[in-house]
Amino acid sequence: KKTTKNSIIGSILYPILVELTSYLTPYININVVEAIVLIIAGALISGFGSGLVYKINYSTGGSDVVNQLLSKFFKRPIGTCMLITNGVIISLGVITFGFQTFIYSLIVVYIQSMVIDKVMIGISQSKTFQIITESETEVKKFLLSKLSHGVTVMDARGGYTGNVVKMIMCIVPTKEYMTVKENILAIDPNALIMVSDVYEAVRSE
């Protein structure tokens, strides 16, 4: 019921807000701007706006509702679902609107979907380092004393060799990525380093 209510509110507000801002149109001269620039700028702005709407669990109706349903039942990001649904719609219109419009539309939808997911999930501020090294003590000392970051040490076993090794896991700010990587490789040039984005780290009290 809440989702339906939010969709109805969004569907009503969207055209009203478009009408209220329509007076700005005469002041924006797009004829002097290259088509590809308009496409990229429009996709970025549209994706950002849609991402904000989706993030607070609203929608503007239409295919937005389909995207939300696909996201719920198939456990995929809304941006990805939007790319699929709009991609199908655009593909069906290629004969009517021509191949050039088809390509431009795909570019718009792709950029929109990426921006929507970034707005909803967020931009990673941290990185997870998973390090397999024979210099466990030295690497831990660097992370703990030099950078003052907590570490977790886990037992791991090679799938091929069966050898038991230690894996160090540490979350560091993105700005320290190069520092951590270079120093670990300086300690152990043969270290295996796996790095992934961290969007949220929650610690229960």
Side-chain angles (χ1 to χ4, degrees):
K1 291 181 179 180
K2 183 179 179 181
T3 302
T4 302
K5 182 192 73 173
N6 291 347
S7 296
I8 292 172
I9 293 173
S11 300
I12 294 172
L13 285 177
Y14 180 68
I16 292 175
L17 293 173
V18 169
E19 183 64 29
L20 290 176
T21 55
S22 62
Y23 74 93
L24 295 172
T25 305
Y27 301 100
I28 304 173
N29 183 12
I30 63 174
N31 295 322
V32 296
V33 184
E34 293 288 339
I36 190 64
V37 176
L38 290 174
I39 287 168
I40 294 173
L44 289 172
I45 295 171
S46 176
F48 182 74
S50 296
L52 292 177
V53 172
Y54 288 142
K55 191 167 186 176
I56 58 174
N57 295 319
Y58 279 74
S59 79
T60 56
S63 61
D64 283 0
V65 177
V66 178
N67 296 333
Q68 287 179 319
L69 289 172
L70 290 174
S71 177
K72 178 180 179 180
F73 290 111
F74 292 99
K75 311 301 180 186
R76 293 290 183 271
I78 286 186
T80 303
C81 296
M82 177 184 172
L83 181 62
I84 294 171
T85 55
N86 287 354
V88 171
I89 294 170
I90 292 167
S91 298
L92 294 174
V94 64
I95 298 175
T96 303
F97 298 105
F99 189 72
Q100 179 173 311
T101 302
F102 168 72
I103 294 298
Y104 282 162
S105 300
L106 283 182
I107 294 172
V108 169
V109 171
Y110 180 77
I111 295 174
Q112 280 180 328
S113 67
M114 297 299 105
V115 174
I116 286 172
D117 286 343
K118 287 294 183 183
V119 170
M120 294 193 67
I121 300 173
I123 298 175
S124 169
Q125 299 295 323
S126 303
K127 304 288 185 186
T128 294
F129 275 77
Q130 293 174 298
I131 310 146
I132 296 177
T133 174
E134 294 181 356
S135 305
E136 176 199 346
T137 303
E138 291 83 354
V139 171
K140 280 197 305 183
K141 183 178 179 181
F142 163 71
L143 293 171
L144 290 168
S145 35
K146 298 291 184 181
L147 296 181
S148 300
H149 292 315
V151 299
T152 300
V153 180
M154 297 172 283
D155 289 325
R157 184 164 57 88
Y160 178 74
T161 63
N163 295 334
V164 177
V165 295
K166 296 292 185 181
M167 182 170 71
I168 301 170
M169 186 178 75
C170 182
I171 297 176
V172 303
T174 300
K175 63 183 180 181
E176 295 181 6
Y177 166 76
M178 289 304 299
T179 301
V180 174
K181 177 184 172 183
E182 290 174 357
N183 278 275
I184 291 173
L185 291 176
I187 295 170
D188 180 6
N190 297 317
L192 174 62
I193 303 174
M194 295 163 283
V195 184
S196 57
D197 290 322
V198 176
Y199 294 100
E200 186 177 14
V202 179
R203 177 181 294 172
S204 59
E205 298 296 337

